[in-house]
């Protein structure tokens, strides 16, 4: 028989899942449920003599104010708008266009070379921006017409673009990792270093799949016939095109990893660097700056709106005994500690079909993180594992955002079915990467331990 607080926790979580399908804004759903269930708890505590240990009282509304103020004054989260600005400015700077032109001229002559070029640019762009939407849209606009012109199959080209764009959520500087670090009070630098090797590994797994597919199924990507010969001049131009984003990556990540600046300060360096690249490439204008600032404000407001709703939701859920309920439920599963972690990852993977990464990071991660620590696992390793599993949410229908971004800018002859078929192999590769990190934790832990010790 369930206790009263357990019924309320299940009702609160069930209501959230049900209301998601109404299409109502998530931030309002979270905040509204927080108010409703706090009122239910207060009524039960004051008038119905429910279990007073877990029930809430009127002081919870003061807690809302304190938590929201703490979120908005959090120094770590100041990095979010600056990294968003950096990504949007870099999108308009002309760097990606130069990379695409030179990579296609150099690598496009090989079977599968166009696909490899897109993934390499996706890796560079991921390490420069950390924003999936900007990466997918830019890669699609630059590469889809070229790949289709070279007779790449529509599904193959779609899968390459959508998956390459999602690397931005894992390879640092990633706004997802900043939010996860804040939720579990971890070092952003440690998470950035822990995510670097898995992110690069995933990118190179994509490249291995594209090359093997090109040779096993030559019809999916035919060889181009109109490329100029390779010359030292072409190699020089390609290297010069790589240097600006590479310099920005080193300035941002290098300064964090070497302990020169904090992630928040590094975000400011990145925003300035992206602006300078736009000026150097003669793409900068005050109209463009105003547009980037407007889009940065809208994106930041969206993120923080969900932040505030999730904060209120989490306060009520925990006050009702949600932490204890989730912990008891998971630890009652008749599996080993590793088996419980696998169950958590499966829940994360399935939740990604219906929920955005932000809601999962703000609601599920804080509930399961303490359980993982109790089971004796390293929290940095688990967060990166969780982030890898969560990355699939960008590619899995019906709410895979990369699929929507791609469909919005893809040529008209590319159908939704083409995109769905194209991403399936890359979802399987992402699950392979999750398995590798699960069985070989040093993929995550080696770099942080080498830099900072145990």
């Amino acid at each position: 028989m369930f206790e009263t607080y357990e019924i309320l926790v299940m009702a609160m979580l069930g209501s959230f899942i049900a209301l998601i399908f109404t299409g109502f804004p998530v931030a309002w759903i979270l905040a509204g449920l927080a108010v409703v269930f706090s009122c239910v708890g207060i009524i039960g505590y004051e008038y119905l003599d429910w279990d007073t240990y877990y029930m809430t009282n009127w002081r919870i509304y003061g807690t809302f104010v304190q938590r929201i103020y703490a979120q908005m004054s959090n120094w770590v989260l100041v990095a979010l708008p600056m990294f968003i600005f950096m990504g949007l400015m870099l999108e308009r700077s002309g760097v990606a266009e130069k990379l695409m032109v030179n990579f296609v001229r150099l690598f496009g002559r090989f079977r599968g070379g166009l696909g490899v070029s897109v993934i390499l640019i996706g890796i560079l762009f991921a390490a420069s921006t950390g924003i999936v939407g900007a990466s997918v849209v830019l890669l699609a606009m630059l590469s889809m017409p070229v790949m289709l012109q070279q007779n790449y199959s529509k599904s193959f080209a779609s899968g390459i673009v959508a998956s390459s764009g999602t690397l931005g959520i894992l390879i640092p500087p990633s706004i997802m990792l900043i939010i996860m670090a804040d939720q579990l009070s971890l070092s952003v630098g440690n998470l950035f270093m822990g995510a670097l090797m898995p992110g690069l590994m995933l990118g190179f797994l994509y490249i291995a799949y594209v090359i093997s597919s090109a040779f096993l199924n030559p019809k999916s990507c035919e060889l181009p016939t109109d490329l100029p010969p390779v010359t030292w001049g072409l190699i020089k131009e390609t290297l010069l095109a790589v240097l600006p984003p590479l310099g920005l990556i080193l300035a941002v990540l290098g300064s964090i990893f070497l302990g020169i600046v904090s992630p928040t300060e590094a975000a400011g360096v990145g925003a300035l660097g992206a602006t300078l690249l736009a000026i150097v490439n003669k793409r900068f204008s005050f109209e463009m700056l105003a547009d980037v600032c407007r889009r940065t404000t809208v994106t930041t407001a969206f993120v923080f709106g969900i932040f505030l709703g999730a904060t209120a939701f989490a306060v009520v859920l925990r006050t009702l005994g949600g932490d204890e309920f989730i912990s008891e439920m998971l630890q009652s599963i008749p599996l080993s500690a590793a088996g419980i972690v696998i169950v958590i990852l499966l829940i994360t993977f399935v939740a990604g079909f219906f929920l955005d990464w932000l809601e999962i990071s703000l609601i599920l991660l804080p509930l399961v993180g303490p359980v993982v620590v109790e089971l004796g696992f390293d929290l940095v390793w688990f967060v990166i594992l969780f982030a890898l599993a969560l990355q699939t949410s960008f590619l899995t229908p019906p709410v895979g955002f990369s699929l929507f971004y791609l469909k919005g800018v893809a040529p008209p002859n590319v159908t939704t079915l083409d995109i769905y078929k194209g991403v399936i192999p890359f979802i399987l590769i992402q699950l392979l990467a999750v398995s590798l990190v699960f069985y070989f934790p040093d993929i995550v832990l080696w770099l942080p331990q080498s830099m900072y010790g145990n």
Side-chain angles (χ1 to χ4, degrees):
M1 191 69 180
F2 290 111
E3 299 284 346
T4 304
Y5 82 91
E6 294 175 328
I7 294 173
L8 283 176
V9 169
M10 289 189 290
M12 193 171 183
L13 291 172
S15 299
F16 170 68
I17 294 171
L19 289 173
I20 283 292
F21 293 98
T22 65
F24 205 70
V26 173
W28 297 114
I29 291 174
L30 291 168
L33 287 174
V35 172
V36 170
F37 279 87
S38 63
C39 290
V40 171
I42 290 168
I43 292 170
Y45 172 75
E46 297 285 353
Y47 304 110
L48 302 179
D49 196 28
W50 285 350
D51 186 345
T52 56
Y53 180 78
Y54 288 111
M55 291 304 107
T56 183
N57 57 42
W58 296 106
R59 288 193 297 272
I60 194 169
Y61 295 113
T63 306
F64 284 169
V65 176
Q66 293 170 0
R67 292 290 183 87
I68 289 172
Y69 181 83
Q71 289 283 7
M72 299 308 295
S73 59
N74 189 332
W75 177 246
V76 173
L77 295 181
V78 175
L80 284 180
M82 287 191 285
F83 275 131
I84 292 170
F85 177 92
M86 169 182 158
L88 295 175
M89 180 61 77
L90 200 64
E91 175 192 356
R92 305 284 291 274
S93 68
V95 169
E97 289 91 330
K98 286 187 176 181
L99 283 172
M100 179 61 69
V101 169
N102 287 285
F103 274 31
V104 167
R105 291 168 63 196
L106 185 61
F107 300 115
R109 65 193 68 252
F110 307 110
R111 192 174 296 280
L114 282 176
V116 172
S117 299
V118 173
I119 296 170
L120 288 174
I121 294 171
I123 292 173
L124 284 171
F125 213 62
S128 308
T129 65
I131 302 176
V132 169
S135 297
V136 173
V137 169
L138 190 60
L139 288 174
M141 293 176 66
L142 292 176
S143 65
M144 283 291 285
V146 178
M147 286 194 285
L148 295 179
Q149 185 181 0
Q150 297 297 337
N151 295 319
Y152 273 58
S153 74
K154 291 181 287 186
S155 60
F156 192 47
S158 299
I160 291 171
V161 171
S163 59
S164 301
T166 63
L167 291 171
I169 208 66
L170 182 64
I171 296 177
S174 160
I175 60 174
M176 180 171 74
L177 295 179
I178 295 173
I179 291 172
M180 288 180 170
D182 173 70
Q183 292 298 298
L184 296 177
S185 300
L186 291 171
S187 162
V188 175
N190 275 348
L191 284 188
F192 278 6
M193 279 190 282
L196 185 59
M197 298 300 289
L200 293 176
M201 176 189 73
L202 183 60
F204 286 112
L205 286 174
Y206 289 165
I207 290 174
Y209 167 72
V210 169
I211 293 174
S212 60
S213 295
F215 282 95
L216 293 174
N217 184 19
K219 292 183 180 179
S220 64
C221 49
E222 298 181 8
L223 283 170
T225 57
D226 56 350
L227 291 176
V230 176
T231 63
W232 285 111
L234 176 58
I235 295 173
K236 180 182 176 181
E237 287 181 23
T238 305
L239 291 175
L240 290 175
V242 170
L243 284 178
L246 195 60
L248 187 61
I249 293 167
L250 292 175
V252 174
L253 295 184
S255 58
I256 295 173
F257 291 172
L258 296 176
I260 300 172
V261 298
S262 70
T264 302
E265 293 161 338
V269 172
L272 176 62
T275 305
L276 292 176
L277 287 179
I279 294 172
V280 169
N281 288 332
K282 299 180 180 179
R283 296 292 186 91
F284 181 85
S285 67
F286 287 105
E287 291 80 10
M288 185 261 276
L289 177 62
D291 182 59
V292 169
C293 290
R294 182 189 61 80
R295 292 170 63 191
T296 299
T297 303
V298 170
T299 305
T300 304
F302 165 76
V303 171
F304 274 88
I306 296 179
F307 243 117
L308 300 184
T311 298
F313 185 91
V315 167
V316 176
L317 190 67
R318 287 175 172 174
T319 306
L320 294 175
D323 284 354
E324 291 81 359
F325 175 71
I326 297 296
S327 178
E328 291 171 4
M329 184 182 67
L330 288 174
Q331 296 194 39
S332 66
I333 297 174
L335 294 172
S336 64
I340 293 174
V341 172
I342 292 173
V343 169
I344 294 172
L345 295 175
L346 285 173
I347 293 171
T348 305
F349 175 68
V350 173
F353 281 80
F354 310 103
L355 300 176
D356 186 19
W357 67 269
L358 189 53
E359 293 96 64
I360 298 174
S361 299
L362 294 176
I363 297 171
L364 182 60
L365 182 60
L367 292 174
V368 300
V371 178
V372 172
V373 174
E374 289 180 18
L375 295 174
F377 292 103
D378 186 280
L379 195 53
V380 171
W381 167 78
F382 172 73
V383 169
I384 301 305
L385 196 60
F386 190 90
L388 270 169
L390 197 53
Q391 194 185 27
T392 60
S393 69
F394 286 92
L395 298 181
T396 49
V399 295
F401 281 96
S402 289
L403 310 181
F404 294 129
Y405 294 139
L406 178 56
K407 179 57 181 171
V409 295
N413 61 330
V414 177
T415 66
T416 302
L417 183 60
D418 291 327
I419 296 174
Y420 284 176
K421 287 167 59 179
V423 299
I424 290 174
F426 292 94
I427 294 172
L428 297 176
I429 292 171
Q430 289 176 339
L431 295 177
L432 172 62
V434 172
S435 302
L436 290 173
V437 171
F438 182 84
Y439 286 107
F440 302 101
D442 283 345
I443 297 174
V444 171
L445 300 177
W446 173 78
L447 186 56
Q449 287 176 349
S450 299
M451 295 293 291
Y452 297 140
N454 292 326

